[in-house]
Amino acid sequence: MLAGALLLGALSTLAFYRSGRAATYRPGEEHAEITRQLDLVIPSDAPRLRLTDVTDAAGLAGFRAFDGARSSQLPEDMGPGAAWRDFDGDGDDDLFLVSAGGPLAAAEAALAPSELYENRGDGTFARVPGFPETRVRGMGAAWGDHDGDGDPDLVVTGFDTLRLFRNLGGRFERDPAFPERPGFWAGASWCDYDHDGDLDLHVCGYVRYVAPRGAVRTGMQYGQAVPYTLNPASFEPERNLLFRNRGDGTLDEVARELGVDNPQGRSLSALWHDFDDDGWPDLYVANDISDNVLYHNRGGAFADVSHAAWVADYRGAMGLAAGDWNRDDDDDIHVTHWIAQENALYDNLWSDLERRGASAGERSLRFMDVADQRGVGQIALPVVGWGTEFFDLDRDGWLDLAVANGSTLETDGTPKELRPQASFLFWNRRGEAFHDLAPLDPALRIPRVSRGLALADYDADGDLDLLFVDRDRGVRLLRNDTLGGNWIELRLRRRLRAGGRPAGTIETAQVSLALPDAVLRRSPDSVSYLSQSSPTVHFGLGSATSADAIEVRWPGGGRDTWRDVTANAIWEVTEGEPTPRPAGGGREILADFWRTQRAAMDAMKKSRDPHAAIELFRHALALDPGHEDSLYYLANCLADVGDVEAGLTTLDELTRRNPMSHRAFLRWGTLRAVTARSAADLDTAVRALERAAEINPEETGALQALGEVALLRGQPDLARQRFEWIGRTNAQPARALFLLGYLAWRDGDAARATSFLERSRAARGKDWKPQGASAEGETKSRMHEERTPLGWACDAWDGSLDPASAYRALEERLAESRPS
């Protein structure tokens, strides 16, 4: 029945696509469904998008993606892309920019060059003058350490261009053992597909383009005359290439031998990704005007499962991205398409089949296109989509989605240019739906003829920044200044090979990060469109201050796990090593910050010297003013020494920088409640605690504090309601049970009060020992240390099951605070 239901769903989806394909759509026309999508109200909890165009300030404004006048030929318009990678090993991501060069008739010397830029580590880039001059009609680029010397090498593709540059310790030279092949080469991607310890290379072949001779025929597309030289259907498809690494840095082409040459494909992008978690990277190929192909990797051999997996997408596909956007423990696929064809969001059903009890025979790769259901399908009808990436824009733990758009249709004027279009930036609202925030941001809403898209945290501030490659201009580097949650970044390293030879860099791996309420998945692989994002793995954590556990499944099947990894830091994790290491990349400021931060934490926790910790945290914040851990623990230390107002001001700064900081609102509310001197103080405490509960309704600390404040304000029914709510999500809420017992005793039900006391004592565990009672003066002198307003009463309880004895001090305290 399960297989039948899924098959019925697939046929319904296919029927929808077929019916939609027959309908006529003219670009720019009004359409009720598109209008409905665009008119959707942005949810009130959506982040305030802050993208700052730093292209000029970063030193990238001089790059040109095309020089000269178009001549309306396909190789002039399809690219280019970009690729991020730390090529010189200094700890930050550098950038290779591909140029489409110029008109097909232009001399090589007249083409705009592709260029390598070094990240200086201060927010700026410098062109690397020693990189071999590369004036080509470029398409894509991809980094990969194919010779295993520890330095990433670079492949560059284009029209009659396929070049491999070896990285010799930061100096580059053409690899003479890799001859240039004629052809129209598009997306490139590295992967150790056969698990033999070295990187192999897949290259997409597009079409066998032939320049026109004589008059150029035209055809009609959506009511517009289009030269045949811009229609890929006018040309025979080019085959795809797969180069198997011999292990000595040389490559053998084996695509046809392994059945992945896809000779009818007209391929533009191909993504290596393990979609069924069997440890072997599969290969998904995006084809223009022919079916996409999914090759299932079965131990180094491949099987075409495209139709069986329901991803044989027949539309004109360009860009690819993979990620677990709905957090159901498998990775999904986003595909960008040509105009009037919508984009696709293929939901992977792998884990869903397991949850439904599918047998081993039934459980195979299946996907379902849910683009329309989630808000990323119909909205894409008027545009042509290219580069695309999943990433956590606001660090809330949910993957958002960026899409670079730009038409292939020409303007009516002379010379004929391509029509610009605005790109998309979809915010993911907890897996329910995506909402395009791009129209709200001036850096994104201006239409461009975009192609490539690649992401990196180029400034190492904990969020991913966006680089767009615009065919009509150059590049746009948009620094992400959007406020959001905590984060962790991981740089993955392989152990040394036998004999001490460095292992190749990681191109595919599966990384899982465990939080109290979720498991997040990420992978370093990326193709976007002709592009490659940084391999540094980025996680948004929301309000979590650490990862409970991080597991990496390495190529070849090995696994490593690290526990209690601190947030808001970049960590280097190496296969087989027991602990992660801070990744400073040799930057003195970053290294100084982490030395100071660790010293401050030691002073606070080990030495219990809050005065020394305050000075150290302040020094750390001078190095990194926005570091959330430093702000949070500084606030706690200030409260510990009695400077409550300074602590609250510090927490205000934290909430300003991160309006989604659950811990900051919770600590502000409890600190204000504990030290309240008026009803107005309690009112402000309640507002902060309610905000904390709104940010993370599954964490019960805010509810506990709100219930205690209700008791202080003489609202027993409200207090009881909140304590009972805690019990619905927390099986052992010791403090809530203790205070529910007080409410029962106050109502005259001593037996029920005793029952609550018994449950509270049991919830504390068999090793619990009472702290002992505090004198009234001691209680008042240390109230700023308490995490909740009535925490002292719960902690001072001696374990007695006599309600009168257990609640005597609490009753006296509340009697003083009750309204007369």
Side-chain angles (χ1 to χ4, degrees):
M1 291 180 65
L2 172 66
L6 292 172
L7 179 58
L8 179 60
L11 293 174
S12 299
T13 302
L14 183 59
F16 171 80
Y17 279 140
R18 298 293 185 192
S19 62
R21 192 181 190 192
T24 300
Y25 171 79
R26 293 180 183 275
E29 72 180 0
E30 292 295 326
H31 190 283
E33 286 301 306
I34 299 172
T35 302
R36 183 185 64 81
Q37 288 279 354
L38 294 178
D39 287 346
L40 287 176
V41 176
I42 300 298
S44 60
D45 55 344
R48 181 180 177 185
L49 189 59
R50 294 181 181 176
L51 300 177
T52 305
D53 191 333
V54 295
T55 312
D56 187 53
L60 299 176
F63 174 78
R64 299 299 300 169
F66 191 90
D67 269 347
R70 294 175 61 256
S71 60
S72 298
Q73 298 193 67
L74 198 59
E76 298 171 348
D77 294 348
M78 296 303 292
W84 293 96
R85 186 61 59 96
D86 180 10
F87 79 84
D88 52 6
D90 65 352
D92 46 37
D93 282 310
D94 309 299
L95 179 62
F96 187 79
L97 298 178
V98 185
S99 175
L104 257 62
E108 181 178 316
L111 301 178
S114 300
E115 295 178 337
L116 176 63
Y117 287 83
E118 179 190 3
N119 188 340
R120 290 172 167 171
D122 60 358
T124 67
F125 295 81
R127 187 175 64 83
V128 179
F131 190 83
E133 186 172 80
T134 307
R135 295 181 182 270
V136 296
R137 294 168 182 87
M139 289 284 282
W143 295 95
D145 182 15
H146 87 288
D147 54 6
D149 64 355
D151 296 318
D153 310 301
L154 179 70
V155 64
V156 179
T157 69
F159 181 63
D160 284 337
T161 298
L162 185 55
R163 299 183 183 180
L164 179 59
F165 297 94
R166 292 186 61 198
N167 184 350
L168 306 174
R171 179 178 60 84
F172 290 84
E173 65 177 28
R174 284 277 300 275
D175 188 341
F178 190 79
E180 196 158 46
R181 290 165 170 77
F184 194 168
W185 308 115
S189 48
W190 296 92
C191 176
D192 181 11
Y193 79 86
D194 52 2
H195 287 177
D196 64 354
D198 45 42
L199 289 180
D200 313 295
L201 173 65
H202 183 274
V203 178
C204 291
Y206 189 36
V207 298
R208 297 180 181 177
Y209 185 81
V210 179
R213 296 179 181 178
V216 175
R217 303 184 308 277
T218 61
M220 300 300 293
Q221 290 182 317
Y222 301 109
Q224 180 172 329
V226 176
Y228 84 90
T229 51
L230 291 179
N231 187 348
S234 304
F235 307 97
E236 292 296 317
E238 182 60 87
R239 70 197 186 285
N240 293 342
L241 308 174
L242 177 59
F243 295 93
R244 182 167 54 202
N245 198 325
R246 293 177 178 174
D248 58 1
T250 60
L251 303 166
D252 291 330
E253 207 287 298
V254 295
R256 182 174 300 176
E257 173 186 331
L258 294 178
V260 295
D261 55 333
N262 194 203
Q264 302 303 315
R266 296 182 179 87
S267 304
L268 287 169
S269 302
L271 173 69
W272 293 103
H273 197 89
D274 182 7
F275 289 107
D276 58 353
D277 287 340
D278 65 352
W280 292 89
D282 309 304
L283 180 65
Y284 188 59
V285 183
N287 291 325
D288 197 0
I289 65 170
S290 58
D291 290 357
N292 291 354
V293 183
L294 175 60
Y295 295 105
H296 185 217
N297 188 344
R298 297 175 177 173
F302 296 92
D304 182 349
V305 298
S306 316
H307 289 86
W310 307 336
V311 289
D313 194 329
Y314 58 84
R315 294 166 286 184
M318 281 78 169
L320 297 174
D324 185 14
W325 64 272
N326 52 3
R327 298 204 325 200
D328 64 349
D329 199 31
D330 50 34
D331 291 330
D332 314 299
I333 308 173
H334 185 252
V335 187
T336 56
H337 290 130
W338 198 55
I339 203 165
Q341 296 179 349
E342 301 188 357
N343 292 338
L345 181 60
Y346 285 111
D347 183 19
N348 191 344
L349 304 180
W350 182 255
S351 294
D352 189 53
L353 288 167
E354 181 182 34
R355 285 188 289 270
R356 293 184 184 185
S359 67
E362 289 178 313
R363 195 178 180 213
S364 57
L365 278 172
R366 295 284 191 277
F367 294 81
M368 185 70 71
D369 188 359
V370 296
D372 282 338
Q373 300 174 31
R374 301 300 184 222
V376 297
Q378 293 169 343
I379 194 173
L381 278 171
V383 299
V384 180
W386 303 89
T388 181
E389 281 286 15
F390 286 109
F391 77 115
D392 192 346
L393 166 73
D394 54 346
R395 306 184 298 285
D396 65 350
W398 294 88
L399 285 176
D400 309 300
L401 181 63
V403 183
N405 295 323
S407 185
T408 58
L409 299 178
E410 298 178 311
T411 60
D412 296 329
T414 302
K416 291 186 178 297
E417 301 295 341
L418 297 175
R419 295 182 179 180
Q421 297 174 329
S423 293
F424 296 136
L425 207 166
F426 294 106
W427 174 64
N428 180 357
R429 191 170 191 265
R430 300 184 63 83
E432 299 166 359
F434 288 90
H435 301 270
D436 183 25
L437 305 185
L440 307 179
D441 191 273
L444 275 181
R445 63 174 172 248
I446 299 174
R448 300 284 190 225
V449 183
S450 299
R451 294 293 185 262
L453 170 68
L455 310 183
D457 182 10
Y458 82 94
D459 52 0
D461 66 348
D463 50 35
L464 290 175
D465 310 295
L466 295 85
L467 182 96
F468 289 85
V469 186
D470 297 331
R471 161 61 183 74
D472 57 338
R473 294 174 180 264
V475 296
R476 282 176 294 148
L477 178 59
L478 306 183
R479 189 183 67 214
N480 184 2
D481 297 322
T482 305
L483 297 177
N486 297 315
W487 56 275
I488 282 177
E489 291 182 357
L490 302 175
R491 295 175 182 166
L492 310 184
R493 300 286 184 261
R494 295 295 300 270
R495 64 161 58 98
L496 295 179
R497 293 177 179 170
R501 185 180 175 212
T505 55
I506 296 299
E507 306 304 328
T508 56
Q510 184 61 58
V511 187
S512 298
L513 183 148
L515 298 174
D517 60 346
V519 176
L520 311 181
R521 294 164 56 99
R522 302 289 187 270
S523 178
D525 53 56
S526 160
V527 293
S528 183
Y529 174 75
L530 307 177
S531 300
Q532 187 181 47
S533 294
S534 169
T536 299
V537 179
H538 176 272
F539 287 92
L541 305 183
S543 61
T545 58
S546 65
D548 293 348
I550 294 175
E551 180 186 85
V552 177
R553 191 184 69 218
W554 304 95
R559 295 174 186 258
D560 283 308
T561 301
W562 299 272
R563 301 190 183 280
D564 300 320
V565 181
T566 304
N568 303 322
I570 304 172
W571 297 100
E572 184 173 292
V573 295
T574 302
E575 184 181 16
E577 289 192 0
T579 57
R581 293 178 294 176
R587 298 185 188 175
E588 294 182 2
I589 292 177
L590 186 60
D592 190 11
F593 168 80
W594 282 112
R595 283 193 298 269
T596 307
Q597 176 74 2
R598 286 193 292 272
M601 295 296 290
D602 287 343
M604 181 181 67
K605 292 186 175 181
K606 295 181 180 179
S607 304
R608 297 187 180 278
D609 186 349
H611 292 282
I614 286 169
E615 294 307 312
L616 288 165
F617 281 127
R618 283 175 170 162
H619 177 60
L621 287 166
L623 298 170
D624 184 356
H627 199 275
E628 294 185 16
D629 277 353
S630 297
L631 287 167
Y632 180 76
Y633 292 116
L634 172 60
N636 283 321
C637 289
L638 288 167
D640 286 345
V641 300
D643 196 348
V644 173
E645 296 306 318
L648 292 172
T649 300
T650 304
L651 290 170
D652 282 336
E653 173 63 13
L654 176 51
T655 58
R656 185 188 70 80
R657 290 179 175 273
N658 180 7
M660 296 297 291
S661 178
H662 170 269
R663 61 175 175 169
F665 283 104
L666 176 59
R667 186 67 179 115
W668 200 103
T670 55
L671 188 57
R672 181 77 288 171
V674 166
T675 59
R677 296 182 178 181
S678 66
D681 282 347
L682 287 177
D683 287 341
T684 58
V686 167
R687 285 195 291 270
L689 292 168
E690 287 176 342
R691 177 60 179 149
E694 178 184 324
I695 292 171
N696 188 354
E698 297 177 7
E699 203 280 336
T700 59
L703 276 178
Q704 178 70 33
L706 284 166
E708 294 178 20
V709 170
L711 278 178
L712 286 171
R713 302 174 85 174
Q715 300 170 320
D717 291 339
L718 179 60
R720 180 181 291 105
Q721 181 186 63
R722 284 168 169 165
F723 294 143
E724 288 174 347
W725 280 349
I726 293 173
R728 296 173 188 173
T729 56
N730 183 349
Q732 300 291 331
R735 285 191 174 186
L737 290 168
F738 178 85
L739 293 172
L740 283 169
Y742 167 74
L743 289 168
W745 175 69
R746 185 174 178 272
D747 290 342
D749 193 342
R752 193 158 182 259
T754 300
S755 174
F756 276 118
L757 287 172
E758 289 175 342
R759 291 172 61 190
S760 180
R761 192 164 70 176
R764 295 168 189 259
K766 62 180 180 180
D767 297 326
W768 170 67
K769 294 181 180 179
Q771 294 181 6
S774 299
E776 179 68 16
E778 293 174 332
T779 298
K780 288 184 177 179
S781 69
R782 60 186 288 272
M783 279 184 71
H784 65 272
E785 297 179 12
E786 299 298 339
R787 296 296 173 177
T788 57
L790 301 180
W792 61 270
C794 304
D795 293 339
W797 174 43
D798 62 4
S800 168
L801 297 181
D802 173 26
S805 172
Y807 297 123
R808 182 179 298 111
L810 176 59
E811 174 63 8
E812 292 173 355
R813 169 71 179 86
L814 292 177
E816 295 175 1
S817 64
R818 286 185 193 124
S820 57

